[in-house]
Every structure is written in C-alpha cells, then in structure tokens.
Amino acid sequence: MSAAPEAGRPGGWPAAARLVARWLDQRERIDGLLDTLPPGLTGAERARCQHLVLGVVRHFGRLDAALGRLVAHPPRFSTRAVLFIAGFELIEASGSPEAEGRVAKIVHHAVEQTKALASPAEARLVNAVVRKLAGVIASGRVPGTAAAPAELAEYFSHPEWLVRAWLAQFGAEGTRALLEWNQQPATVYARWRGPAEEPAPDFLKPSTWAGFFEVASGHWPQVEPLLKGGKLYLQDPGTRLAVDLLAPQAGETVLDLCAAPGGKSLLCADRMRTGRVVAMDLPGPRIGRLKENLSRVAGVEVALVQADLLEGAVMALREHKLPEVYAAVMIDVPCSNTGVMRHRADVKWRLQAGDFKKHPQQQLALLHAAARLVAAGGRLVYSTCSIDAEENERVIEEFFNSRAGGPFKLEASATSRPWATGHDGAGAFLLKKSS
Ligand SMILES: C[S@@+](CC[C@H](N)C(=O)[O-])C[C@H]1O[C@@H](n2cnc3c(N)ncnc32)[C@H](O)[C@@H]1O
C-alpha cells in the first residue's frame, strides 16, 4: 500500500483506482490509459500506480470470479476499482509471513479510499467484501498440471479458450509454466548504447544475454535522461533472435519492413556500425516513435519509408531513390503478442480465437510481399513475438507451399518459449533465396 500523498497531490493509489475504474468500464488499451496519468505524481507514485493497474489487469479473471461470487449486484465502477485493487494487494500479500497484518492494512486502506472516492455506504460494502475476499484468496489452491482447463484459466486469469489452445499445443506442463510466467510482473531489460569507454551505470545489472541489462527498479530519474539521450534503449532480449538470424554485416544495406517503433532497426544498426538501414512502416501514429529511434542511430545511414508493404512498396522505394531489392531483409509482422503477455497484461483479454486465423492471413501476405524485395542470393528473416505455431511454423509452411517459396530455402530458425528461455517469447525464421 502507498503512504498517504501530500495534500494537493493525487497519490499513486487513487490514481490507480481512477484508471482501473476506466478500464473496467471501457476496456481501453492499458498502455494508452497509463499515458493519461495526471502530472504531479512523483516517480514512486507513478510506479505504484502502474504496478497496481497492471496487477489488476493481470489477475482480473481470478478477482472477477471471486468478487462475482461475493457481490450479488456489482457496485459502480469507482467502488469496483477499489475492490479489484485491494484484491490484487491481497494476492500479492498471500503467502508472505506478514500476510495477516497486511490484510488488516489492506482492508483499512480500501475502506478509507472508498470513503474519499465514493460514499460511506459503499465503504461499508468494501469493508465486508474485502474481508471475505481475503479469506477466499488465502484459501485458494494453486492448480497443478493435472487441473482442468477452467480451473487453470480462473486461477491464472486467462481466457479458457486460450488455455485449451495452449494445452493442445504445449501440453499440461508447458501450459502451466506459461500461465505462471505470464502472471509475474515483467523484468525490464535495456541495451546500454553509451560510448565504449563509458561503463554502464550500476543500476544496470548484466543479464545472461550479451548486451542486455536488467534495469533495477526505482531508478526512473536516472533512466529517463539516458533514454532521451539515446544511451539506453529499453528492449527485451527476445528481440535479438530475429537480428541474430539476419546477422547484419558492417557496410551492408538492411531493409527492415514493419519497422515501427524501430527496436530491431536500432539493434541492426548498432551491430553493423556502418552501412545503411532502410526502415519501412505504414504512414500513421507509429512513425513518430520510429523517427525518434532512427535519429539515435550513429554511423549507419538510415532511410525512412512510409508505405504500405502490400500496396506500392516498390513505388515508394523508387520515389526515395532506394534499391528495389536487398541482400538482407527482415519482416517483423503484427501478431497476437502471445510471447509478450508478461509485458502487455491486457493482451489476453483483447485476444479472440479468430485472431489466430486473421493474423496468419495478413502475416502470409506480408511475407509474400517481403519475399519480392529480396535479391538473388539474399536472406529474409520472418519474425513474430508470438509463441503460437499458427503464426510461426504454419505461416512458413504455407509460404513454402506456394510458388513464391520456390526460390527460398529455410536455413535456420529460433523460437523462444518464455518459460524455458527466461525472456519474451518469439519466433524467427531465416530464409535464403537461391542465386
Ligand atoms: C510487431 S510491429 C513491428 C515492431 C518493430 N519491428 C520493432 O522491432 O520495433 C509490426 C509493425 O507492422 C506494421 N505494419 C502492419 N501492416 C503493414 C503494412 N501493410 N505495411 C507496412 N507495415 C505494416 C505495423 O504498423 C507495425 O508497426
């Protein structure tokens, strides 16, 4: 729980209650919602607010089921938000040696917040419900690998259809491990891009993956200027798989399709040190971040092409007086994001079974378009941040079943299942075109 804010400042907990109320009501995207945080919060309050909001979204299914059994008529959203936040705090406290003392504090704090945000009558309801919820959470049994899909789905807060799909794909142990993985707060990783003679600051802890550091929490005031200055770039080690397969060489020209916001363009450029990166993405709101990230590239020439890869990509390259085919092409397609659900806690609530049909169609079309831009003898990397075969292996199989696949050969692939690798999930496939 957060301490009471100073007079006149909104505080992390009430700010979280407002955002959670909005999310319960409108299901806005969480990253956009967190961007609306009021100014005037301290770094610690902001972090607390973010932690609470993401915690509620992550555990929404379990809390919703438990509260549904305890409350006959859901109260208005502001009060429901208090119940959900207190519920998340109870989940966090459960199993800790001081759980009992913390429960009392959580109940008291939730009641006081409801008095301020709603009414004394609703505060009485919150008092009764949070006490009962504490009992439900404390007595909750952690499902084992043999648990039924519905039980796994509720305890680990995932849609049941998704749990069933994963059970069919990854088996009971893999699915159980994945669900558990997704329920933990995400570790923040970054690449240190400072000059070679400048060592990474102490709050960056070297990780198992060369060049990637774990960012210790509570250092936002130091992190922010380093990000703005381009010395630090927040990036999960899972993103390196596609770039490792492409292995961009010094002096060559890399075509990065579906480039925004530019994480992989930047990683390619940092590996190459000299040469050129041509980054293409659709005109629209994501171009701003891509421009910003490309402006941080040093030593490598960059060209930004705003175009629809499926319509007029060659024309756009021509207009920019850029080559129409490339020896190194990467395409990082839009996907279900099932590999990055730890970071993007709301993805699981937006995803629908039909997305595993819709995405592969678009992915295959994009892969075909990318293949047309590969020079004879060139290499093409297809990449996703999905762990699902429909968006990875199946798309590659479909490509090879088509005429366009004829000149290509699958040279290598790399997949990350987060519970096994310890970082985000991803799929990457290196296709080589005959000369
Ligand atoms: C997964 S994101 C790419 C992430 C990026 N590679 C990175 O590392 O930061 C997918 C991108 O595909 C782009 N995209 C989707 N359809 C496209 C199309 N028809 N032409 C060009 N870009 C497209 C989206 O705008 C989005 O930026």
Side-chain angles (χ1 to χ4, degrees):
M1 277 175 306
S2 47
E6 285 163 26
R9 275 219 329 271
W13 210 102
R18 276 184 206 99
L19 295 190
V20 168
R22 259 175 73 177
W23 185 75
L24 291 171
D25 185 13
Q26 295 164 27
R27 295 301 154 92
E28 289 164 73
R29 292 172 77 103
I30 284 298
D31 41 5
L33 206 54
L34 288 169
D35 283 346
T36 68
L37 271 179
L41 291 179
T42 63
E45 286 167 345
R46 205 163 265 277
R48 182 73 189 141
C49 172
Q50 190 162 336
H51 177 72
L52 293 172
V53 173
L54 291 176
V56 166
V57 175
R58 194 171 283 125
H59 294 278
F60 172 72
R62 183 177 171 198
L63 292 171
D64 195 41
L67 287 168
R69 290 178 197 121
L70 294 174
V71 189
H73 304 289
R76 58 186 164 141
F77 287 112
S78 52
T79 306
R80 281 168 74 185
V82 171
L83 293 174
F84 273 96
I85 296 178
F88 166 57
E89 291 183 313
L90 291 169
I91 290 177
E92 269 198 311
S94 64
S96 89
E98 331 82 79
E100 228 170 273
R102 282 174 73 184
V103 167
K105 283 189 188 150
I106 291 166
V107 174
H108 176 73
H109 190 255
V111 169
E112 292 308 306
Q113 290 293 327
T114 316
K115 283 183 194 160
L117 293 166
S119 67
E122 284 159 295
R124 284 194 290 280
L125 172 88
V126 164
N127 186 23
V129 173
V130 177
R131 280 175 198 284
K132 285 188 202 152
L133 187 59
V136 171
I137 284 169
S139 60
R141 207 173 56 84
V142 186
T145 44
E151 198 189 337
L152 287 168
E154 180 175 319
Y155 187 87
F156 292 109
S157 288
H158 280 66
E160 191 180 327
W161 68 265
L162 189 57
V163 172
R164 286 182 184 278
W166 284 343
L167 282 168
Q169 194 174 176
F170 306 123
E173 267 182 37
T175 303
R176 173 72 173 62
L178 170 59
L179 294 171
E180 203 165 2
W181 166 273
N182 284 347
Q183 291 307 91
Q184 302 305 315
T187 307
V188 179
Y189 290 101
R191 284 194 302 114
W192 173 245
R193 306 181 64 246
E197 65 281 5
E198 189 178 329
D202 286 346
F203 64 85
L204 295 179
K205 308 276 169 238
S207 79
T208 321
W209 304 284
F212 290 85
F213 292 81
E214 203 177 313
V215 184
S217 63
H219 292 277
W220 188 244
Q222 294 105 295
V223 167
E224 201 177 14
L226 292 173
L227 291 176
K228 283 197 176 134
K231 286 187 173 177
L232 198 63
Y233 186 75
L234 298 180
Q235 193 163 33
D236 189 89
T239 58
R240 81 193 190 289
L241 295 183
V243 178
D244 282 355
L245 278 188
L246 188 70
Q249 302 297 305
E252 78 175 340
T253 296
V254 167
L255 175 62
D256 183 12
L257 300 164
C258 294
K264 293 192 182 76
S265 295
L266 200 54
L267 184 53
C268 282
D270 288 349
R271 296 248 175 115
M272 290 156 68
R273 292 173 184 276
T274 62
R276 179 159 62 167
V277 171
V278 177
M280 184 188 287
D281 208 290
L282 291 170
R286 293 171 67 91
I287 291 292
R289 285 276 311 284
L290 178 57
K291 264 189 192 155
E292 196 184 319
N293 284 323
L294 292 178
S295 74
R296 297 189 169 129
V297 168
V300 171
E301 209 185 305
V302 290
L304 169 60
V305 181
Q306 299 186 44
D308 183 341
L309 176 59
L310 300 176
E311 273 179 50
V314 171
M315 193 79 84
L317 290 167
R318 225 174 264 160
E319 274 166 19
H320 283 77
K321 301 198 175 4
L322 289 163
E324 291 171 28
V325 288
Y326 295 77
V329 179
M330 175 160 59
I331 179 149
D332 185 26
V333 293
C335 70
S336 62
N337 289 305
T338 49
V340 295
M341 283 182 164
R342 230 193 210 195
H343 287 283
R344 305 186 57 188
D346 57 337
V347 160
K348 61 189 174 189
W349 304 123
R350 282 191 272 115
L351 207 58
Q352 293 175 2
D355 292 338
F356 289 108
K357 288 210 163 61
K358 199 184 74 191
H359 284 306
Q361 283 168 8
Q362 185 195 21
Q363 289 157 349
L364 187 61
L366 288 166
L367 178 56
H368 276 284
R372 290 194 280 276
L373 302 174
V374 181
R379 56 205 199 279
L380 165 63
V381 167
Y382 169 84
S383 119
T384 75
C385 51
S386 165
I387 50 171
D388 288 80
E390 284 100 320
E391 300 178 272
N392 290 307
E393 289 82 357
R394 293 297 98 75
V395 172
I396 298 298
E397 277 164 28
E398 283 290 311
F399 177 72
F400 280 113
N401 286 339
S402 73
R403 264 190 36 214
F408 287 88
K409 183 163 118 279
L410 179 64
E411 282 250 308
S413 66
T415 49
S416 160
R417 292 179 170 177
W419 66 95
T421 55
H423 58 58
D424 277 350
F429 299 81
L430 171 64
L431 315 184
K432 183 93 190 331
K433 190 170 181 180
S434 54
S435 5

